[in-house]
Amino acid sequence: MKAFKNLSVLCALLACCVVLSGCLSHWFVDSSTRLQIENKSSKTITGVDIVSDDGTEYIPWVQDTIRPGEKSRVYEEDWVGTFNIRVRTIERSTMGCACDHLEAKEEIFSTCFCSVYINDAYTVEDLEFSGGSEYVVFSDSENGHGLHYEFK
Amino acid sequence: MSLFRSIKIALVAIPLALTSALADAVDVDAVASGGYWTRDEQLRDVGDLLLFGKMSFVDIGMNYAPLPTQIPLKSKFGEHNGFAVRHHFSLMASHQISQNNYLSALLLFERSGWDGEDFLFFPKYTDFGLIRSVTTWGLGYTNTTVDYSVAAGMQHQNVEFVGDVFPAENDSLLYTWANLRFGRISAQTEFHRTHFRMLRLSVDLEDRELFGGASSGLWTYMPNIDATIYKRELEGFDEDFVRVNWEQNLFAQILYAEVSFDFPDDGFHSAALKLYPEPSRLFSVEFTCLRRRAMADNWDDLMFGWAFEMPLVRVGYNSAYEYDHLFHAKGTWFVELQFNMGSFGDALFAKNGRKSTPLQTRDVKRKNTPDKKSELIPLDSQSANAPKTITAKGIRYEKSGSEGGK
């Protein structure tokens, strides 16, 4: 009978550990990531996505347009682990003009757009998110092409 | 970075580093097909329980992986941290309706899947989780004069939540099953509506003392063999296969070998050497070898692992059982808090036990039992004020040695 009593106390203790373990692990492990972006680059960031390994699918994460010097809102998603992220940018180029010529009644109408926007996407592979708040700063990379990112 | 966060990270960093260095992610497809193997496992348990349709049995357990990097999920987007979850509960109750006739009720339940947070009752249902439950229930009748049993019931598979990365799954699937046993030969089948899903034929030749067989000798060395025809579809084509299991007592129902093969094409599936220090199977140590296959990539390798089990806990590493029933998880420690016990009359035994555990109560006849009218009871207990007299019978000797008198 004493052995049974001891066993039941052991069971009760184990049950407590089990019931609490789910809650306790959430003290120091987050199951979602709250991501905020600061754009210190010269390009406008139009969004941040998670891209599949084969590059054919994506799920949007940050859906703000972040002009140079601005911050995004905080987007909380269940991305905890190792993923490929893609940063979409748009940049005004002064490389040339794009013109449309329209002939009508022996007259030629020309419409030119001299600012050409270049859409670009930069992919960072196997980026690790451990959950909780993440603040990422994007800046121009030193060689002039691409973006540099830093978790702060 | 705040001090609190540094401490939090430091608390987790070492165990995280230790386990994540070894852990392998479970694949989305393995989690998606988990229900198929859960249903099979439950019906296999039903067959084992109905081998002896007279007992009562209870089994409860849950996998315990404290860290989210232990069993991550591999999807097309990358590797998600989280928890593979498996909670199960089984109950069989038998009632003797007349001298040789028994009725049994069976209920087996499992809730399993993967989620971003661990839970006992209430999942968080993160975007990339999948939680499903499988319930098997049925009624059985056993006749011990002719030694046969008939049982039938239903099986429900329900998904509570399917995340974005998993293939679509029916939220409610209903199957019917039936189990027939005549002596040592059993047949079990399962249907989804009118579609045949599975047929298992089992021959359990090994004698078990618990079931009224011999406790030792040649008949305890007979094999237990079962063959299961599974309906399977691969990329839209019927790819039915047959899995054959052979369980063999190697030494005194303490050491067993198990091997399983898939026919016609797949070949060797797994093998195990299992040691049960005593035949009630409360304790076990197993060494397993499993052949991992990826049909699409046309590769295979052998995975070696081990596990030990005792009342309340099972611990394993790369063990075949966990690979088969926990979404092909490997590369980490598996801890399962579990308890299972069967009983019939005075006999207690663990799942598939061969003999009763030696812990059972025994009546011991005491010699020289004193007369019921003990000398220490007051002679006149009716009146409370009466002087209580203690009479002593017998002679008390006192030894007066040289050392005692000082």
Side-chain angles (χ1 to χ4, degrees):
Chain A
M1 205 59 207
K2 197 183 173 192
F4 183 74
K5 203 174 169 184
N6 287 343
L7 194 68
S8 57
V9 169
L10 188 68
C11 285
L13 278 174
L14 267 174
C16 285
C17 293
V18 167
V19 170
L20 286 175
S21 70
C23 317
L24 285 179
S25 67
H26 305 156
W27 284 10
F28 44 81
V29 175
D30 282 297
S31 63
S32 61
T33 303
R34 298 179 294 279
L35 180 66
Q36 190 174 21
I37 303 286
E38 185 179 356
N39 184 5
K40 285 187 177 172
S41 73
S42 58
K43 306 173 179 76
T44 298
I45 294 174
T46 52
V48 175
D49 316 311
I50 299 285
V51 192
S52 64
D53 285 337
D54 60 3
T56 56
E57 283 182 61
Y58 74 95
I59 296 179
W61 190 350
V62 175
Q63 298 170 56
D64 283 351
T65 302
I66 317 155
R67 289 197 175 82
E70 287 182 354
K71 288 176 199 171
S72 74
R73 286 180 291 170
V74 177
Y75 284 85
E76 180 171 358
E77 295 288 346
D78 292 337
W79 296 110
V80 182
T82 310
F83 309 103
N84 308 323
I85 73 162
R86 181 178 70 180
V87 184
R88 281 179 279 128
T89 62
I90 190 162
E91 193 180 10
R92 180 180 287 181
S93 169
T94 52
M95 293 292 282
C97 297
C99 293
D100 265 349
H101 304 288
L102 193 69
E103 287 184 35
K105 293 179 184 175
E106 297 176 356
E107 287 182 67
I108 298 173
F109 295 94
S110 295
T111 323
C112 287
F113 296 97
C114 288
S115 44
V116 174
Y117 293 95
I118 302 171
N119 282 295
D120 246 326
Y122 302 92
T123 308
V124 186
E125 288 187 351
D126 297 333
L127 199 59
E128 205 173 313
F129 295 98
S130 55
S133 286
E134 299 283 10
Y135 189 80
V136 185
V137 176
F138 285 96
S139 54
D140 288 324
S141 60
E142 287 172 6
N143 59 15
H145 306 288
L147 283 175
H148 174 79
Y149 70 92
E150 196 178 348
F151 281 82
K152 285 198 172 168
Chain B
M1 191 179 288
S2 70
L3 178 68
F4 184 56
R5 196 168 176 204
S6 313
I7 294 170
K8 282 200 300 187
I9 289 171
L11 270 174
V12 195
I14 297 167
L16 274 185
L18 281 176
T19 50
S20 59
L22 301 165
D24 289 4
V26 294
D27 203 67
V28 161
D29 294 334
V31 179
S33 65
Y36 182 90
W37 291 109
T38 303
R39 286 189 287 108
D40 182 62
E41 164 82 354
Q42 290 192 345
L43 285 182
R44 189 174 280 278
D45 282 353
V46 166
D48 285 342
L49 290 171
L50 289 168
L51 276 179
F52 191 60
K54 295 187 279 185
M55 64 176 177
S56 296
F57 180 79
V58 64
D59 167 79
I60 187 164
M62 63 171 286
N63 275 88
Y64 180 67
L67 299 166
T69 46
Q70 254 181 293
I71 311 176
L73 175 78
K74 179 91 184 89
S75 78
K76 57 191 167 193
F77 292 104
E79 208 170 287
H80 308 255
N81 292 353
F83 300 84
V85 181
R86 184 166 174 258
H87 301 158
H88 58 94
F89 170 73
S90 319
L91 194 67
M92 170 169 162
S94 297
H95 177 66
Q96 188 171 16
I97 44 176
S98 65
Q99 197 186 354
N100 293 317
N101 299 301
Y102 293 81
L103 271 184
S104 309
L106 289 146
L107 175 69
L108 296 92
F109 174 78
E110 180 177 312
R111 195 182 190 199
S112 54
W114 191 96
D115 200 17
E117 286 188 8
D118 54 347
F119 64 92
L120 196 60
F121 296 113
F122 307 106
K124 196 188 174 204
Y125 302 129
T126 55
D127 290 350
F128 310 101
L130 185 151
I131 309 289
R132 117 171 24 90
S133 64
V134 177
T135 309
T136 303
W137 59 269
L139 291 171
Y141 164 76
T142 303
N143 184 310
T144 50
T145 336
V146 198
D147 194 18
Y148 74 92
S149 73
V150 183
M154 309 288 278
Q155 200 166 43
H156 308 258
Q157 179 178 327
N158 301 298
V159 282
E160 296 168 28
F161 181 80
V162 181
D164 301 339
V165 289
F166 296 96
E169 184 169 328
N170 282 13
D171 73 336
S172 185
L173 292 164
L174 189 60
Y175 301 84
T176 45
W177 61 267
N179 191 95
L180 289 170
R181 180 179 64 84
F182 191 81
R184 292 161 189 252
I185 300 169
S186 316
Q188 191 179 55
T189 186
E190 186 191 30
F191 283 84
H192 175 243
R193 293 181 184 146
T194 53
H195 300 291
F196 165 76
R197 301 305 305 166
M198 181 274 283
L199 173 68
R200 179 163 20 242
L201 294 170
S202 314
V203 184
D204 293 87
L205 294 175
E206 182 192 346
D207 249 8
R208 306 183 188 196
E209 189 192 51
L210 202 63
F211 296 179
S215 65
S216 60
L218 185 66
W219 277 97
T220 61
Y221 287 93
M222 297 301 279
N224 304 317
I225 302 170
D226 66 73
T228 315
I229 305 167
Y230 293 100
K231 281 297 272 188
R232 179 174 62 172
E233 275 190 15
L234 286 178
E235 293 163 358
F237 294 98
D238 277 351
E239 289 274 350
D240 302 354
F241 74 105
V242 179
R243 177 164 291 178
V244 177
N245 287 317
W246 181 317
E247 185 189 33
Q248 178 64 49
N249 172 20
L250 293 180
F251 176 71
Q253 294 184 318
I254 287 173
L255 187 66
Y256 279 83
E258 284 177 30
V259 64
S260 98
F261 269 88
D262 291 345
F263 294 98
D265 303 323
D266 299 352
F268 174 74
H269 174 69
S270 70
L273 197 63
K274 298 188 175 179
L275 177 76
Y276 303 97
E278 45 111 9
S280 68
R281 296 200 168 182
L282 279 175
F283 300 88
S284 74
V285 181
E286 60 189 67
F287 299 94
T288 63
C289 168
L290 182 132
R291 181 155 160 256
R292 302 194 308 138
R293 300 186 81 237
M295 269 175 255
D297 303 332
N298 199 22
W299 64 265
D300 64 294
D301 69 354
L302 290 177
M303 181 183 83
F304 293 89
W306 56 264
F308 70 82
E309 190 171 323
M310 52 189 191
L312 302 181
V313 71
R314 173 187 165 88
V315 178
Y317 186 85
N318 283 359
S319 42
Y321 178 83
E322 271 77 11
Y323 184 85
D324 280 341
H325 298 105
L326 195 70
F327 319 126
H328 297 183
K330 66 179 279 285
T332 187
W333 294 75
F334 303 112
V335 178
E336 188 183 355
L337 304 172
Q338 57 92 34
F339 179 78
N340 67 76
M341 186 64 74
S343 83
F344 169 64
D346 287 338
L348 284 177
F349 45 89
K351 193 176 176 180
N352 293 325
R354 297 321 199 221
K355 292 176 184 172
S356 174
T357 160
L359 296 171
Q360 63 181 298
T361 317
R362 285 180 190 164
D363 291 329
V364 180
K365 284 188 179 173
R366 292 165 65 195
K367 288 179 182 174
N368 300 326
T369 311
D371 194 34
K372 278 186 178 175
K373 288 176 183 171
S374 168
E375 294 84 350
L376 293 173
I377 294 172
L379 285 178
D380 187 7
S381 56
Q382 286 174 345
S383 72
N385 296 328
K388 290 172 182 171
T389 317
I390 296 171
T391 52
K393 286 179 184 172
I395 303 159
R396 184 172 168 222
Y397 292 98
E398 284 190 11
K399 194 180 174 186
S400 58
S402 57
E403 70 274 14
K406 288 175 184 173

